[in-house]
Amino acid sequence: MTTDLHSLMAPYALNALDSWERETFEAHLEQCDDCRAELAGFVATAARLGEAAKQAPPAELRDRLLAAAATTPQERPVVTALAQRRGLRRTLPRLAMAAAFLVGTVGVGGYVAERNQADNYRADSQTITSVLAAADAKTSIKTFGGGGKVQLISSASKNSAVIVASDLPTLKNSKVYQVWLVKDDSPTSQGTFASSGAMIMKGLVGVDHVAITVEPKGGSRQPTTAPISTIAV
Amino acid sequence: MTRNKDRGKENPVAPTASQSAVTHLRLADSPEAGGPLDLGDLLLLVARGDEQAFAAIYDALGASVYGLARRVVRDPSRAEEISQEVFIQVWKSAARFDPARGNAKSWILTLAHRRAVDAVRHDQAATNRENKYDWSNGPDFDEVEETVTISLEHEQVRRCLDGLTELQREAVNLAYYKGFTYAEVAESLGANTATVKTRMRDGIVRLRDCMGVGA
């Protein structure tokens, strides 16, 4: 299932995205003026659906709220010039941090991707951010019957993709999941992870798809099993 | 005499003192785009700590927020908790409301919907943990559809929902009123996720146009 982020707009307005996709879409929204304009109409439409469910609340709720307001401090306004500065607003760094955090934690637990050394985390998180924010970013999500899912966010303009695996079933006998970029039927290893992990893949030109196989601990030079999942790029 | 003359400048059609007084009141009380009650203006007052304005916002939207929460989570006391959280959030965060991103009513109902959906998903996740192997515990789709259609108060919304194709209507209903993700909607309807996203989009565009919602 490959989709561009734009197709997430209606589900977003109906609040039908999971939290991960919600953040991905909100990151995209910061960069997409057309999206925000159309979204306002969608959100107002959804609000009408909400109003249609109108029902009288218990009378004591009003008193309780007014009493609560009288003793509840209020937040201060955000200075607009700062808040509306283009580029990195709230959502984007949070999502990038989440992905970078995954790279970090999985690294400690035996993540053997050659490129993702500790001192590269900062650069990685910047790459992740730029891929997520790209105007042509596409997201694919695979959910597995046994639990867990894999999300691939790719951008042709950045020539990069980010893959985030979360909570895949733990494998027996120390086996690992290995990620491959497949170009003309020839796979190149991108690294391995145990159950969750995130990695950045650069150089998408000519790549057909990303494949995930189950391999012995440490990974294999070439896939030794049929892919459990392939995702078109 | 002087008074009438002054009013005459503002409103040349007002011929007598009594009529012009009424006209004047209405002019003062009705900001151009807002109708009888402009929630955006009230929110500005709330941001400055005006408790009366807060009460006025509750009076305008309390039933919508509570009814929506009730529709999504079902349980009356849970719906009441959510309503309380939503309005406290409105009180605390009124200064953060950004009119450039949509109107005040949409903002508040979006807060309410998101909280209700988060609550129902959280509760569902807890239930799933308890009944890991009991798949029959899933939501009963037919029952949902019926409740939604029968109890909609808003005639226009009901009429507009009736104007959708069955798949569009089901996709919108399950997502909005049940808090399903589009993946869960797809699972319920036996459709693929790309189709569901498209139906949601088509459905919401059709609803928007039917309701005459401006962007």
Side-chain angles (χ1 to χ4, degrees):
Chain A
M1 179 202 66
T2 300
T3 44
D4 67 311
L5 288 168
H6 202 68
S7 77
L8 295 181
M9 186 182 298
Y12 177 80
L14 293 169
N15 208 0
L17 299 179
D18 64 31
S19 50
W20 216 100
E21 284 174 300
R22 188 194 278 176
E23 296 216 339
T24 308
F25 182 77
E26 284 179 348
H28 172 64
L29 203 55
E30 299 296 335
Q31 315 293 321
C32 177
D33 295 338
D34 291 347
C35 300
R36 286 200 298 278
E38 187 172 35
L39 183 66
F42 281 16
V43 167
T45 304
R48 297 283 275 273
L49 293 173
E51 278 188 284
K54 194 182 275 194
Q55 192 175 339
E60 62 274 17
L61 178 59
R62 187 181 196 272
D63 297 336
R64 227 170 37 234
L65 272 171
L66 295 182
T71 57
T72 305
Q74 293 180 292
E75 289 169 13
R76 318 202 65 79
V78 178
V79 179
T80 313
L82 188 65
Q84 293 191 334
R85 213 156 62 191
R86 287 194 62 87
L88 301 183
R89 292 233 255 170
R90 280 179 306 126
T91 329
L92 204 46
R94 204 166 65 230
L95 184 59
M97 252 166 57
F101 176 73
L102 268 174
V103 173
T105 44
V106 173
V108 174
Y111 177 56
V112 296
E114 301 81 0
R115 297 186 310 241
N116 290 329
Q117 304 299 324
D119 52 355
N120 285 338
Y121 290 160
R122 172 177 271 275
D124 286 349
S125 98
Q126 278 168 6
T127 310
I128 291 170
T129 305
S130 75
V131 172
L132 295 176
D136 64 344
K138 287 166 81 176
T139 305
S140 302
I141 298 158
K142 295 270 183 181
T143 309
F144 292 90
K149 69 177 167 184
V150 171
Q151 312 206 26
L152 178 77
I153 300 122
S154 60
S155 160
S157 68
K158 303 285 175 197
N159 194 26
S160 298
V162 175
I163 188 164
V164 181
S166 37
D167 302 324
L168 294 187
T170 309
L171 297 167
K172 289 182 185 139
N173 303 324
S174 325
K175 290 199 169 164
V176 293
Y177 295 98
Q178 189 162 4
V179 180
W180 312 84
L181 275 185
V182 184
K183 190 173 181 176
D184 297 332
D185 289 333
S186 150
T188 312
S189 174
Q190 302 296 308
T192 67
F193 59 90
S195 158
S196 298
M199 57 186 87
I200 303 152
M201 300 178 288
K202 289 171 189 162
L204 297 184
V205 178
V207 168
D208 304 308
H209 60 266
V210 173
I212 300 171
T213 60
V214 173
E215 302 293 341
K217 186 179 182 184
S220 305
R221 293 201 161 274
Q222 288 292 308
T224 61
T225 58
I228 57 159
S229 181
T230 58
I231 309 172
V233 174
Chain B
M1 197 59 219
T2 324
R3 271 175 51 210
N4 267 343
K5 219 171 153 190
D6 285 342
R7 294 244 168 73
K9 274 181 200 159
E10 285 174 46
N11 186 354
V13 291
T16 71
S18 64
Q19 275 182 13
S20 73
V22 170
T23 310
H24 184 74
L25 244 178
R26 214 186 293 136
L27 278 174
D29 279 357
S30 303
E32 281 171 30
L37 192 66
D38 190 297
L39 291 165
D41 291 344
L42 286 173
L43 263 185
L44 283 179
L45 294 173
V46 170
R48 291 183 226 138
D50 187 324
E51 292 171 28
Q52 281 187 341
F54 180 62
I57 287 180
Y58 178 79
D59 291 339
L61 291 181
S64 295
V65 167
Y66 175 76
L68 173 56
R70 183 86 196 266
R71 170 66 53 75
V72 175
V73 302
R74 302 285 181 112
D75 178 53
S77 49
R78 196 91 166 95
E80 198 177 336
E81 285 168 16
I82 289 165
S83 308
Q84 182 163 335
E85 289 167 6
V86 168
F87 280 102
I88 290 299
Q89 190 181 353
V90 168
W91 168 257
K92 283 163 81 170
S93 314
R96 308 276 167 104
F97 166 65
D98 180 0
R101 294 229 163 179
N103 67 43
K105 189 193 283 176
S106 293
W107 182 61
I108 293 171
L109 285 172
T110 302
L111 291 178
H113 190 248
R114 194 171 275 198
R115 265 184 196 268
V117 166
D118 286 349
V120 85
R121 286 186 192 162
H122 179 266
D123 295 351
Q124 184 63 45
T127 311
N128 285 350
R129 278 194 296 278
E130 283 162 19
N131 307 298
K132 224 172 186 171
Y133 304 102
D134 183 6
W135 292 97
S136 64
N137 241 30
D140 184 341
F141 165 66
D142 289 336
E143 180 236 344
V144 175
E145 167 73 28
E146 203 178 352
T147 332
V148 168
T149 328
I150 288 173
S151 57
L152 282 181
E153 291 180 17
H154 226 269
E155 268 312 306
Q156 186 195 35
V157 168
R158 183 199 282 193
R159 184 171 52 75
C160 291
L161 278 170
D162 283 347
L164 303 185
T165 68
E166 200 181 342
L167 200 52
Q168 289 169 352
R169 185 169 55 246
E170 284 164 356
V172 169
N173 274 341
L174 287 173
Y176 194 80
Y177 291 121
K178 282 293 281 185
F180 280 25
T181 63
Y182 70 84
E184 289 169 332
V185 172
E187 187 68 31
S188 292
L189 300 181
N192 73 48
T193 50
T195 307
V196 167
K197 283 187 283 188
T198 311
R199 293 302 174 272
M200 283 180 176
R201 183 182 177 83
D202 296 344
I204 210 165
V205 163
R206 218 188 255 198
L207 286 174
R208 179 193 66 194
D209 296 345
C210 175
M211 294 171 188
V213 173

